[in-house]
Amino acid sequence: MSWGLISEMGHVSIQTRNLEASVFDATQLLGLRETARNGGTAYLAAGRVHHELVYVESDLDALDGFGLIARDGDALLELRRRVDDEGFTIVSDRPRFDATEDGFSFIGPEGFVFDIALGVQHDRPAAGGFGPDRYGHINFHPRDVGGMMRFLRRVLDFRLSDTIGDDFAYFMRCNSDHHGIALIRGEGTLHHHAWQTQSVADLAKLGDRLHLAGRELIWGPVRHGAGHNIAAYFVEASGAVVELYTDLEQIYDDNRPPIEWGPDDNWWNMWSAYRPLEFRQYGIAPVPTARLK
């Protein structure tokens, strides 16, 4: 269910210095399937689409872009009009990645690239195996968190679900999911991309797979206050964090006012006040625009 111009989260694309290690983490630890390989670009998905995660072979580890799906053709045209009116730089007048319908890409605030598409081709998932149901959301750390929040509302038509403290963090939605984008004031990096699964038991199985690979969870399972989801996190080969979550709050009233959390209200974990001090130090910066695919 969506009310705005963006109907769903599309993909996240990451440039990586070790393409095979990134694909290993996505397929053997998280449980995605690789749907296609085009030169140094690997496409992966959990749901019935061609891609929800894209890795681009590179000589640096960096965020390549955020993909969003427009509600329909009229919404795509309106989004393009808004982007042009704001004076943002257009990277491409057509989709940058394979199996994508009509769309465009632009450089938003603080150098974050947004790929707006009308849709992604459907794909049949492999039978059996393990893995999440779909790509769910991103969490990134702009320097001007309030400015980014206002951009997402004004230009991309996101709704505000929760606020944290005094201009510290915002959770924003484009459909009934409590958040598709979470913003926390930081140093201008992508912190994590997040994937929905059906059961908290899948989070324990993720921990087991990490252990067998000589890796570890960096936090979780925890029960977040903002969004109410149960989540666990690990660091992938690129340096970005991956979240596997379940039981995210659904919002079916588009007029629901934002929930306001104080800075000490345990919005990060309803089960404990503990937070790893190093948790927010992970992440990757946006790629220099001259290095985009």
Side-chain angles (χ1 to χ4, degrees), residues 73-106:
D74 289 340
L76 183 66
L77 291 173
E78 173 61 18
L79 289 162
R80 178 59 188 263
R81 183 193 67 78
R82 293 185 182 193
V83 168
D84 288 342
D85 286 350
E86 295 269 340
F88 290 115
T89 299
I90 300 299
V91 174
S92 177
D93 286 310
R94 58 183 302 277
R96 293 193 299 137
F97 296 109
D98 294 349
T100 305
E101 298 178 30
D102 192 18
F104 67 98
S105 303
F106 70 98

Side-chain angles (χ1 to χ4, degrees), residues 137-240:
H137 61 263
I138 50 174
N139 177 301
F140 68 103
H141 296 173
R143 292 178 174 86
D144 180 5
V145 67
M148 186 66 75
M149 178 273 290
R150 289 185 288 274
F151 155 76
L152 290 172
R153 297 183 79 178
R154 183 180 68 251
V155 178
L156 299 184
D157 208 23
F158 274 68
R159 273 60 169 165
L160 187 59
S161 297
D162 288 33
T163 68
I164 314 296
D166 182 13
D167 197 38
F168 175 70
Y170 301 95
F171 289 77
M172 310 190 73
R173 67 186 188 275
C174 62
N175 50 36
S176 60
D177 278 4
H178 174 271
H179 57 280
I181 296 178
L183 307 171
I184 299 178
R185 187 192 307 147
E187 298 299 321
T189 58
L190 166 71
H191 186 262
H192 65 260
H193 50 98
W195 301 78
Q196 176 184 279
T197 189
Q198 286 296 308
S199 169
V200 68
D202 293 321
L203 277 62
K205 293 175 182 177
L206 170 64
D208 290 339
R209 292 192 297 274
L210 287 164
H211 172 71
L212 291 173
R215 309 269 285 278
E216 63 181 5
L217 294 171
I218 60 170
W219 196 27
V222 299
R223 165 77 79 175
H224 291 312
H228 298 173
N229 47 310
I230 304 173
Y233 301 85
F234 71 96
V235 182
E236 65 163 352
S238 72

Side-chain angles (χ1 to χ4, degrees), residues 114-128:
F114 294 85
D115 298 304
I116 312 298
L118 191 56
V120 177
Q121 291 180 11
H122 284 260
D123 188 79
R124 180 175 296 177

